[in-house]
Amino acid sequence: MKNNENEPISFWLKFTNFFRSKTTQKYSRVTYHVAWNILLLFIIVLVLGFSFAGGVGAGYFAALVKDEPIRTKDELKKDIYNYEEASDLYFADNIFLGKLKSDLEREEITIDEMSPHLLNAIIATEDEYFNEHEGVVPKAVMRAIFQEMTNAPVQSGGSTLTQQLIKNQILTNEVSFDRKAKEILLALRVENFLEKDEILQAYLNVSTFGRNSSGQNIAGVQSAAKGIFGIDAKDLSIPQAAFIAGLAQSPFRYTPYTQKAELKSPEGIEPGLVRLKTVLKRMRDGNYLTEQEYNDALNYDITKDFIGPKTAPSKVYPWLVVELEERAIEVLSNILAEQSGYEKADLEKDNDLKEQYTTLARRELKQNNYKVHSTINKDMYDKMQKVVRNYEYYGRDKPQEVTDPESGEKVTVQEPVETGAILIENKTGKILSFVGGRNFDREQTNHATSAKRPNGSTMKPLLVYAPAFELGYISPGSVGINVPISIGGWQPKNAGEGYTGLTNARQALVNSYNIPAVSYYMGILNQRPATYLDKMGFTSLIDIDYSIPSLALGTPTNGVTVEENVNAFTTFANDGQFIDAYMIDKIEAKDGTVIYQHEAAPVEVFSPQTAYLTLDIMRDVISNGTARYLNGRLSFSSDWAGKTGTTNNTEDAWFVATNPNVTFGTWIGYDTPKRIDNKYKGLTYSQRNIKLWASLVNSAYSVNPDLIGPKGKFEKPAGVVTRSFCSISGLLPSDACSNAGLVETDLFNVKYVPTKVDHSFINGQYVYAGGGRYLAHSQTPSEFTSGGYMLNPEYLDKIGGKYIKNINDLLSKYNTTGNMIVTGSTLSDNGKTPAAPTLALNGSSINWNSHPERDVVGYRIYSNGQRVASIRSNESLAFSIQNGTYYVTAVDIVGKESPPSNAVTKQEVKKQEIPSETVDTSKEQTNQEAKPEEKPVEKPVEKPVEKPVETIPGGTTPETPTEQPANPENQGV
């Protein structure tokens, strides 16, 4: 039904009719399409915007990492694991000594050698999503970027453990988008290449953890566990693991130790304890701990686990650590140079090249964890250091002016007597132990291996006697002169003026006489005996040393080290072969590969016969020579052979001895050369050094008796024989030598056994003239000659007679009967008849002065024209006379007789009364007691008795216990 037109229409009906209207529907369709298109356009613009922003971001990221090389898996692993780890040092027998001193101590271990609590603590604290993410956590990165761009006051950071590893090992700590972009890229690649355990293991070996109890900076959890708690990382408890994990955030703030190896104060330790609680809370939140474990750890007093200050190996064994480092560097530098195509000789010739490879080798040792195995016996080394610390007979400290390094001013300090010693195994060359000095903090010089000093009389067997034996110039029984000599103005002296005339090689070395040693050395000098020193490892000789006579007494220009000197003596124990001493046995790379193994290279120096002859004499040095003080000071017996040594002005004292197994030597002296006190606490300086030697070798014996004190003796090699000889010459005894009682026996190298009969002494006639004794001429009147045993002038020249200052000093040792003489040469006739002497009457005697002409050998006395006596020129120039007239003539060496002297008359006065005033005094001189009726009685001619040549009393060298200090002019004893 149709509504009435006047009936009102409802609002709802109007609203529905509007949308039903065709007009409305038409416009609605248009509006819908417009709105949809607008929305679609907005969506498109939004998508395009995001795409553009992403493209820009991607482009920016690509620009940031464009210079970063694309590393392969192997390259990336090499970079990740290329962290510094100082090399390990070992005593002999693989006993760990410690880490090489470095700025950062680190010890690498594998993840299965780490406590699970430590792994959990690190993950909970440093990267809670470590096991889920792929190297980066996007929301963390976005948060970090937003905080950086807005300069937010709190910045949480966004680095995962992987990113931190990249930053530590490949990149730097630079704060920039460039570094961060590279870090993200590399972290993604690392996660793609490495397992989670590999990444975590590398991180825990790389990260720094403050300082250890020695005050050293440490890296890696193993060094942290050992350095803080004294245990391995695998044994860490929950609170210990949490404490170490907390150090990673701020290592030097939370570490409990100072640089001075001291435990921090409670206030200084507190930040680390607060951090420990934070780590434990995060471990509990991450369900790594139960509630009980958490509470127990929270209440645990971690401070009682701190091991407290501990001395680093470089402090306990300073000389040893430094020595091993320097020797290892030398070995490695040669290896690196060889790998580059160079030879060792190239480095020795080119200092710049040597320095280059030395630097590389030093870096290798500091970073690449080599294992350096030494020859040093730990127990022997420890005991020797104890002996040195406690020894009380060095001598007094002496003042020395030095320059203060800080102020530059001159100050006076007290300088102590220093010492150096070294023990070497003969057959291998291993250095078993050494003494570098008394106090490393005072003086860092290694007095065993680095300090160079003159070696005094320890040079004699090395340079004089062994080479002279080897060259066949002398044998142990060969004669030598032992009287004052002069060589080109140089006048060497024996210590204490101990001259014996003639001596032999054995006694000369046993008593350390200087003069025979110099004389022997002059006889072989033209054969350059110093080259033997080159073969025995002496490295510091210069050209002049090869020609100076004083080298025989141990005065090399630059000195020698204790190691070189002692090492040379092993040559005698090794049958004449030199085996260079060494301290580095082998070096292993980080992976266990042996890159260096020492190999001995023996050098032939002397024959076994020469070596044994020298040893046999040096046995006597200890039994009854300058080292006899050693007797009774050893706690064991062995076949020792050795030599003492003292230098000019007693500035150095040496003793070196060898037995069949080992060779050991000591030196004492001041760093600034000055005289060592002869007496201190009742002992001479030589005794004090020998006592120190004995104390040190006794300590080594207590460690290894079989090695240090072998029961066996040096074996005499074939070719060493015993023969009789004339002690004056070393030749076969002649009748004259036998008659003189000069036959002795000694050892000889069979190659140089004498084949000629002694010709040093001859039976002959001699005369006295001009204050000396000379061979008689054939024309010399027999009444002025004497017979005896005389040294042959030719032989005298061979033994160094041309250097002797007073030829008559030679035979003081042998001339006990007065029938042996030394003749310097024959006396020449001066070509003229002697002048007449002048007589004087003295009571019943006539006398006259010695004739001024040196060729006059005697005087003839005439009475009443008849010869009544002959007197030699060395006899008393007086003669008792009877009644009669006397005169005297002088006779020269060829028999020419002078005119008569003035006449002297003696006659008897008759017994009668004669007034005194009538006595005639004008007649010739008369003797009032003479009896005219008595005939003159001719005085028998008495054969003069030849007196022994006056000699300088014998003395001892300062190396003997009772000696006086050496003359300052001595060059060596």
Side-chain angles (χ1 to χ4, degrees), residues 331-342 357 360-361 364 370:
V331 169
L332 276 180
S333 64
N334 290 331
I335 293 174
L336 295 174
E338 184 178 345
Q339 291 173 352
S340 300
Y342 293 104
Y357 282 96
L360 289 174
E364 285 279 310
Y370 290 93

Side-chain angles (χ1 to χ4, degrees), residues 330 332-338 342-358:
E330 182 179 4
L332 276 180
S333 64
N334 290 331
I335 293 174
L336 295 174
E338 184 178 345
Y342 293 104
E343 296 182 354
K344 183 178 179 180
D346 296 325
L347 271 62
E348 293 173 350
K349 292 184 294 185
D350 189 333
N351 288 333
D352 291 338
L353 189 65
K354 181 177 182 178
E355 180 61 28
Q356 174 186 341
Y357 282 96
T358 297

Side-chain angles (χ1 to χ4, degrees), residues 302-329:
I302 194 70
T303 60
K304 68 183 181 64
D305 290 346
F306 296 153
I307 58 176
K310 184 178 179 182
T311 306
S314 59
K315 296 292 185 181
V316 179
Y317 298 102
W319 278 295
L320 180 55
V321 169
V322 171
E323 191 67 26
L324 291 179
E325 178 180 354
E326 291 306 312
R327 292 184 184 233
I329 287 172

Side-chain angles (χ1 to χ4, degrees), residues 55-70:
V56 171
Y60 181 58
F61 182 86
L64 292 176
V65 299
K66 65 181 178 64
D67 295 328
E68 177 62 27
I70 303 301

Side-chain angles (χ1 to χ4, degrees), residues 38-56:
I38 291 173
L39 177 61
L40 185 60
L41 180 61
F42 176 77
I43 292 173
I44 292 174
V45 170
L46 187 62
V47 169
L48 289 176
F50 275 113
S51 298
F52 177 77
V56 171

Side-chain angles (χ1 to χ4, degrees), residues 79-203:
D79 291 337
I80 290 294
Y81 291 107
N82 184 30
Y83 41 79
E84 294 183 11
E85 182 178 357
S87 295
D88 294 329
L89 304 178
Y90 292 85
F91 289 104
D93 302 320
N94 204 38
I95 298 174
F96 185 65
L97 165 60
K99 286 284 186 181
L100 194 66
K101 184 179 180 181
S102 65
D103 296 332
L104 185 67
E105 182 174 314
R106 175 189 281 112
E107 184 175 348
E108 180 185 4
I109 56 175
T110 58
I111 197 167
D112 57 0
E113 296 176 293
M114 302 175 188
S115 166
H117 301 306
L118 178 63
L119 305 181
N120 294 335
I122 285 290
I123 292 174
T125 308
E126 296 295 319
D127 189 352
E128 59 181 315
Y129 301 112
F130 176 73
N131 291 314
E132 287 79 35
H133 65 65
E134 297 297 328
V136 295
V137 177
K139 65 178 182 179
V141 173
M142 296 301 295
R143 181 176 66 247
I145 293 174
F146 177 78
Q147 291 171 345
E148 177 69 24
M149 294 182 67
T150 59
N151 197 25
V154 177
Q155 298 189 3
S156 59
S159 294
T160 62
L161 289 179
T162 311
Q163 289 175 269
Q164 293 181 49
L165 180 63
I166 295 298
K167 178 177 66 176
N168 291 334
Q169 289 302 99
I170 300 178
L171 303 176
T172 67
N173 289 324
E174 174 191 4
V175 178
S176 67
F177 288 115
D178 178 70
R179 198 269 301 164
K180 196 70 176 179
K182 293 177 181 179
E183 179 184 297
I184 293 171
L185 174 65
L186 291 172
L188 294 171
R189 291 184 64 79
V190 167
E191 289 278 351
N192 185 50
F193 289 145
L194 301 182
E195 300 294 332
K196 288 290 184 179
D197 281 355
E198 292 179 295
I199 296 171
L200 187 57
Q201 174 181 300
Y203 174 83

Side-chain angles (χ1 to χ4, degrees), residues 22-35:
K22 292 182 178 180
T23 302
T24 301
Q25 290 179 357
K26 177 180 177 181
Y27 285 106
S28 295
R29 286 195 296 269
V30 174
T31 301
Y32 167 78
H33 284 294
V34 171

